[in-house]
Amino acid sequence: MAAPTPRPKVLARLSLPERNFVVNALRTETVGGVLLLLAAIAALIWANTPLKDSYESVRTAHLGPGALGLDLSVQHWAADGLLAVFFFVAGAELKRELVAGDLRDPKAAMLPVIAALCGMVAPALVYLLVNSAGGGSADGWAVPTATDIAFALAVLAVIGTSLPSALRAFLLTLAVVDDLFAILIIAVFFTGELNFAALGGAAAGLAVFWLLLRREVRGWYLYVPLALVIWGLMYNSGVHATIAGVAMGLMLRCTRREGEEHSPGERVEHLVRPVSAGLAVPLFALFSAGVVVSGGALAEVFGTPQTLGVVLGLVVGKTVGIFVGTWLTARFTRAELGEKLAWPDVFAVAVLAGIGFTVSLLIGELAFTGDPALTEEVKAAVLTGSLIAAVCATVLLKIRNARYRRMYEDEERDEDQDGIPDIYETDDPEYHLRMAELLEKRAAEHRRRAQVAGGGSAADERPA
């Protein structure tokens, strides 16, 4: 009688290579998230003190070549210019996930894709229901749909929660898919009147960018000026300029060839991610998060349909959407939760994903461009909803923090000090398979080098 097929695991422990990538990525995102948090606090202080006039004058100051259509305010440069770097990293990260990460396997990709999709549909529905009942407009339906991974990880860094690798990877992958849908929303719903000449020029620039990558031409002095030209043309085309960053990120090669320790995409992402997380996103927050906070303003957040829809979309919609999407995926694929995890853990991460900041602020600016007062109110709603989600997630995660700490310590234990956690050396068949493949590749490379050095053939190396 055939042995029963084991049930697939949801949020199971990662393979060693994927774990290492996630750890490195989250380390940068966590530092960037703390900087983002500090920038947001600085913006709020600057906008709510006697220095508020200087804040307004700085972020509305214009600079740039007007002849090229780029005479923009500082706030505009931060939103359209600096965030293009953020979306470039998002594009490269998405490409890596699609060709070399968890999303390359349709079965493994099903969970984060469905969870992220439900986590965007549910907040939009909550927003629309609130505005339908309260007589508001549907313009801001997309504001509460985005998760800010850097801000979420900053919360984790502050509260000191040692999430096990499976939950951290789920949060990161969820945010990658979330970014993809946010990019599509911006491209489809927030594209203005098209300038086809500029759009054609941007497309031609992207073709040149792809051709240089395909032919493996190296040199930042070629790519950076070309990227700036593509960005400028994309901005003038009427398509949101951040789409240029995404397109270039998706063009990077993220698969490794024989003899490569890292793919070109991984190397570029490693170089640009600190610029994105440590400079671009915090500066965007500094010039976008400065809203006036007062008792009256906070009352307006809960008294206006648009702003109440944003708050409830982030706090309720995100949580329900991600949790239900994950549960339904597990239910209809007969999958089980990973070892030592429980559904309250998934619920806590779903609450944490309700922290919407960077992309939510950007979409808020795009959705209400004709109403500056409502734009500021929606920004206050994004901050309020994100704060509520952060506090609730902190409480839920703290309840199980001792258990997380034990799981994390088990995953990180390395008693033989060989740089590989012991748990992967004892009971992970994939680890042993990968090590065998690595040793075989090294042996093959050694034989090839010996053959080149000796001028003989592989047969010459066999003993008589």
Side-chain angles (χ1 to χ4, degrees):
M1 185 170 127
T5 304
R7 299 181 73 179
K9 295 288 185 182
V10 175
L11 306 183
R13 189 173 70 244
L14 304 177
S15 65
L16 183 60
E18 190 66 15
R19 169 200 171 275
N20 292 338
F21 174 82
V22 168
V23 168
N24 291 332
L26 292 184
R27 186 178 295 118
T28 304
E29 291 286 2
T30 301
V31 173
V34 173
L35 294 175
L36 173 62
L37 186 60
L38 293 175
I41 293 172
L44 289 170
I45 293 173
W46 195 358
N48 290 276
T49 62
L51 297 173
K52 61 183 180 181
D53 291 338
S54 66
Y55 177 75
E56 195 61 30
S57 63
V58 168
R59 73 172 180 174
T60 57
H62 277 245
L63 60 143
L68 299 178
L70 297 175
D71 181 18
L72 311 177
S73 67
V74 170
Q75 184 179 3
H76 211 162
W77 275 110
D80 282 344
L82 291 177
L83 278 195
V85 179
F86 166 79
F87 279 105
F88 173 81
V89 174
E93 193 172 54
L94 176 62
K95 178 69 173 291
R96 197 206 73 85
E97 286 290 336
L98 289 171
V99 301
D102 285 344
L103 298 184
R104 74 185 185 279
D105 180 1
K107 292 182 180 179
M110 187 184 300
L111 176 65
V113 169
I114 293 177
L117 186 58
C118 291
M120 299 188 82
V121 171
L125 290 176
V126 168
Y127 180 92
L128 292 173
L129 286 173
V130 170
N131 280 268
S132 176
S137 69
D139 293 343
W141 64 269
V143 176
T145 59
T147 293
D148 194 305
I149 182 63
F151 220 142
L153 292 172
V155 172
L156 290 180
V158 170
I159 65 177
T161 299
S162 299
L163 278 180
S165 61
L167 284 177
R168 287 182 288 164
F170 176 62
L171 183 62
L172 180 62
T173 309
L174 188 73
V176 171
V177 180
D178 189 287
D179 284 341
L180 170 63
F181 289 127
I183 291 160
L184 293 175
I185 287 173
I186 292 172
V188 174
F189 295 100
F190 298 103
T191 293
E193 185 178 344
L194 291 178
N195 180 332
F196 288 100
L199 185 60
L206 287 171
V208 173
F209 190 87
W210 177 83
L211 187 61
L212 291 174
L213 290 173
R214 185 70 180 268
R215 298 196 172 184
E216 299 187 354
V217 177
R218 296 190 176 186
W220 64 267
Y221 46 84
L222 292 175
Y223 290 102
V224 172
L226 178 59
L228 291 174
V229 170
I230 293 170
W231 175 86
L233 289 168
M234 189 70 76
Y235 175 82
N236 282 285
S237 73
V239 177
H240 199 269
T242 54
I243 302 300
V246 177
M248 287 183 280
L250 287 171
M251 289 181 180
L252 297 175
R253 176 170 65 81
C254 294
T255 52
R256 300 176 189 178
R257 293 176 179 169
E258 187 174 353
E260 286 185 336
E261 185 176 356
H262 300 288
S263 68
E266 289 173 315
R267 290 197 299 270
V268 172
E269 183 186 344
H270 180 73
L271 291 172
V272 180
R273 185 186 288 275
V275 178
S276 169
L279 180 67
V281 175
L283 281 178
F284 167 76
L286 181 63
F287 294 114
S288 292
V291 296
V292 176
V293 179
S294 64
L298 292 176
E300 284 294 321
V301 166
F302 294 97
T304 305
Q306 290 91 337
T307 51
L308 180 60
V310 169
V311 173
L312 293 179
L314 288 171
V315 177
V316 178
K318 270 288 181 184
T319 302
V320 172
I322 292 173
F323 182 79
V324 171
T326 305
W327 184 84
L328 287 174
T329 304
R331 173 69 178 81
F332 290 104
T333 59
R334 294 183 53 81
E336 294 178 336
L337 272 182
E339 188 179 357
K340 299 180 182 178
L341 293 178
W343 284 108
D345 302 320
V346 180
F347 185 81
V349 172
V351 174
L352 186 65
I355 298 176
F357 192 79
T358 305
V359 181
S360 290
L361 290 177
L362 174 62
I363 294 177
E365 292 179 358
L366 296 174
F368 300 103
T369 49
D371 192 339
L374 186 55
T375 299
E376 294 302 301
E377 291 173 7
V378 167
K379 287 182 181 181
V382 170
L383 295 174
T384 303
S386 298
L387 179 60
I388 293 172
V391 171
C392 293
T394 298
V395 173
L396 293 172
L397 291 168
K398 277 293 186 183
I399 291 173
R400 291 176 61 82
N401 198 33
R403 185 178 182 86
Y404 293 148
R405 191 179 298 113
R406 289 194 297 271
M407 293 173 64
Y408 183 78
E409 288 171 355
D410 288 343
E411 289 183 356
E412 297 298 315
R413 187 176 294 112
D414 183 17
E415 293 183 355
D416 55 6
Q417 299 294 309
D418 63 350
I420 300 173
D422 297 336
I423 197 169
Y424 287 96
E425 297 178 308
T426 57
D427 64 351
D428 190 346
E430 186 173 349
Y431 163 74
H432 295 291
L433 180 62
R434 288 179 181 273
M435 286 300 296
E437 291 176 350
L438 178 62
L439 290 173
E440 176 58 32
K441 285 182 179 180
R442 287 179 178 174
E445 180 66 15
H446 178 73
R447 290 194 297 270
R448 187 188 67 79
R449 289 179 179 176
Q451 177 185 347
V452 172
S457 65
D460 295 335
E461 299 173 31
R462 292 195 297 269

